[in-house]
Amino acid sequence: MYKIESKIKYAEGLYGIWVDAQYVAEKVEPGQFVMVMTHEKGERIPLTIADYDRSGKKIFLVFLVAGKSTAQLADMNEGDELFSLVGPLGKQSEIENYGRVVCVGGGTGIAAIHPIARSLKEAGNEVISIIGAKNKGLIFMEEDIRKVSDKVIVTTDDGSYGRKGFVTDALKDLLDNDEEEDIARVWAVGPAIMMKNVALLTRGYNVKTIVSLNAIMVDATGMCGTCRVTVGEETKLTCVDGPEFDGHLVDWSEFMNRLMRYKPQEKIAMDLYMKRRQ
Amino acid sequence: MAEPIPPKERYRREPREMKEQDPKERIHNFNEVPLGFSTEDAIYEAQRCLECKTAPCVKGCPAEVKIPEFIDLIVKEDFAGAYQKILETNSLPAVCGRVCPQETQCQGNCVFNRTGKPINIGKLERFVADYARNNDIRPQAIVAPKKNKKIAIVGSGPAGLTCASDLVKAGYDVTIFEALHRAGGVLVYGIPEFRLPKNIIDHEIEGIKAMGVNIVTDFVVGETKSLDEIADEFDGVFVANGAGSPKFMGIPGENLNDVYSANEFLTRSNLMKAYLFPEYDTPIKIGKKVAVIGGGNVTMDSARTALRLGAEEVHVVYRRTKAESPARVEEVEHAEEEGVIFDWLTLPVRVLGDEKGNVTGMECIRMELGEPDASGRRRPVPIEGSNFVMECDQVIDAIGTQANPLVKADGMEKNERGYILVDEVSKATTRKGIFAGGDIARGSATVILAIGDAKKAAQAISATI
């Protein structure tokens, strides 16, 4: 059903896979995600769609090994089939011609920002992309991002490639030099702490910032409520109301607390898997 | 073959009770609580039936199961025949035999209620279905000539499965679209293993598939394709996606880490089998002291699941009293036997937590009963100044569900609460060719009422499409 057509290893623990997924490929728009189960006893995990091939009925997913489920996914190879894959889920990004926009992708968020940047470009925007990771090895899809951006800034935490520092440093410079104040909107996708810091930064410049929340999910159709998050004064479900929200309105401490809920169990599962795998 | 017994003896004979797992044992496992009837038990109980010509029991059954006839076949020891007899009108006997509120339906209408000894119809239905499963007796599908019409069904819960099997028997090509990776809807994600073992549902679904129903899992109508697209591709649609969106109290602290909706708690445990973690990958929080808010069957399911997962103390916190609780008596009794503590007349007002989001307690207020409200039940009124803090490290909101807004179509009207408006008899929506039933049309209710709706919709579809 959901056969892995090809697999790319970008770095240790960082992979991209093209997967057969007819229905998803036909319908997906930027900003949406799928739920994946590697095997019958597996978890349902959300993965953002990094690219798609409508005529080839395939979608491209990028993931970093962070626990048992992603470790199992990394152990799957071309020709293997995922047990379950469903989507496209969530609301699509609000794409319009805003003028000048900045797309910030950190870590695996580089993959998620790609279709958003492409659509923004197609809609006539001037797209500046900032992509960042810990080190050079973890920068990937750079060429894809360049193709859909007017300008690309690469940052690495250790300075092994591009500019040394965080994506927020590069973004701050852009905003400081934006004398015409024509940066209309910022998109930020990456680890929660990065999205939070981007939102904190842009608030000071009063630039609307859209973030894509990587909440824990189970069914991802609005049934369980595990992905709920406070946005403004309201409780929203990331799976059906999001995953994109106004970063200035997200209750970040609540969101980040909720991401930590299963850390002890995740460690137990991962340790057991690694032991069996040896 | 067992002999019928004289009517006098039928009046005299005491009902056969079903053995249950000992509460002390069962709180440590997820095995089924009632252990089922032996053949001897079933015949003994079946012989009590008066086989009333008027069959008031059948009038109490939304699926119109031919009750006196299948009971008579039990007496004749034709258990396979009894199975086929039930299947003529109900495709989910092993499910209904377990989770229907028989005391207010078939059994509630039994003439023996006069003597306080109604026939245990549900237990007999369960016996017949279990016998069929254990002896690999398959449904004898009497399928009408093909109509060459395609019907889509949204959701594979009790309503969807029932409508599908009725329509496939009538000669339609039927496709069910299920959002999750496994068919069964609330039967697999909502009702716990100890009330409804999942292999039983799988068996009934296999039977429905064997009749020719096509089930497409991993397909969210409203996302993967819209209902409008589905309606264009098919000759008719039955929408039965349930009312699976969680309701929260709306009190401060409800987004703390250890606050669950019952939907989440039960889905993790039932569908994802978190109770078997780490053999299964999905985790679940095992609280030490758990507060479950609500008073319905789902509240009891959540409380009893928490106990089995290993909680030291489980409280049910309900603003009314036991008398007003909408749960089945049997469910409350089972929970009591297992050691669940009931805090009646108690209303949570705030969940308390630390800076990491862990729950540390729940502030509640004591209630008293006032004048009857719109539901006819005495309205609970807070007692001023009676606030207190209940220590707990996990809270489960089990106060009900609401309509999931994902499934919508042009011209298909909903009421102000998001439920689909339908004609009471035909289950037709305001959009031609689309029918709806079960919780998404009636609000949260029972499996058997959903089955009843599905049967009406199947009849209307057969008559018009």
Side-chain angles (χ1 to χ4, degrees), chain B residues 148-213:
Chain B
N148 293 317
K149 299 266 189 191
K150 288 159 59 190
I151 307 293
I153 292 182
V154 182
S156 66
L161 291 171
T162 298
C163 193
S165 59
D166 281 10
L167 289 174
V168 87
K169 284 184 209 162
Y172 291 92
D173 292 321
V174 183
T175 302
I176 301 182
F177 294 101
E178 167 54 49
L180 293 166
H181 56 276
R182 186 171 177 181
V186 72
L187 306 174
V188 292
Y189 76 73
I191 304 178
E193 185 77 13
F194 55 85
R195 279 219 290 138
L196 185 60
K198 302 299 159 249
N199 64 332
I200 287 172
I201 304 158
D202 286 346
H203 184 267
E204 300 212 323
I205 291 172
E206 284 310 314
I208 290 167
K209 276 167 131 173
M211 290 194 293
V213 173

Side-chain angles (χ1 to χ4, degrees), chain B residues 130-152:
Chain B
D130 289 355
Y131 176 89
R133 189 176 64 259
N134 295 332
N135 292 281
D136 207 30
I137 294 162
R138 290 278 157 183
Q140 273 173 5
I142 305 155
V143 177
K146 281 270 176 204
K147 293 207 177 189
N148 293 317
K149 299 266 189 191
K150 288 159 59 190
I151 307 293

Side-chain angles (χ1 to χ4, degrees), chain B residues 287-291 307 310-315 339 341 391:
Chain B
K288 279 196 172 65
K289 191 167 169 184
V290 184
L307 269 183
E312 289 166 13
E313 202 176 300
V314 178
H315 289 248
I341 300 161
E391 226 180 89

